[in-house]
Amino acid sequence: MKDLALIFDMDGTMLDNYAYHLKAWKEFFARHGISLSEEQYKKKYAGLDSESTIRAAMGDDLSDEQVAAYRDEKEQTYRNLIAPDIHPVKGLMPLLQA
């Protein structure tokens, strides 16, 4: 029998976490005076990495250090929101055990 290796992207594959990322972005932007609806997020930022989202929303003139600090702030917000509710997607554990 051959060995098998699988690689998973966590977001949406191992965890259903879209709503948590959206809420984290909304909270992050609100702290910085930017209003964000789900529709705006989907149209402008869905699929972008954090750095690109921050630059698109807050300006390309930000320093790399400021973007990194904002990214870390948003990620901490996300972690705080999702921590009490981390559950693998249905079927993941049996798949991993197999």
Side-chain angles (χ1 to χ4, degrees):
M1 180 174 178
K2 290 190 171 197
D3 289 334
L4 175 67
L6 300 172
I7 299 174
F8 292 96
D9 172 84
M10 186 175 81
D11 291 339
T13 304
M14 297 177 80
L15 294 173
D16 185 9
N17 59 352
Y18 170 80
Y20 295 95
H21 275 294
L22 176 62
K23 188 171 182 181
W25 278 119
K26 289 171 97 172
E27 288 186 17
F28 167 80
F29 283 136
R31 282 195 300 271
H32 295 281
I34 299 170
S35 177
L36 180 70
S37 70
E38 183 172 3
E39 184 158 325
Q40 289 170 316
Y41 176 77
K42 286 180 178 179
K43 285 183 179 180
K44 294 181 179 181
Y45 311 117
L48 296 179
D49 62 25
S50 294
E51 290 84 356
S52 298
T53 299
I54 291 164
R55 288 192 185 282
M58 302 176 85
D60 275 335
D61 57 338
L62 295 171
S63 70
D64 291 343
E65 293 79 17
Q66 186 65 54
V67 171
Y70 283 150
R71 180 200 61 223
D72 293 347
E73 178 186 342
K74 183 271 176 182
E75 287 305 310
Q76 188 59 53
T77 301
Y78 165 77
R79 289 182 190 119
N80 291 343
L81 289 169
I82 199 169
D85 200 28
I86 293 177
H87 305 287
V89 296
K90 185 178 179 181
L92 177 64
M93 297 313 292
L95 174 66
L96 294 176
Q97 291 169 351

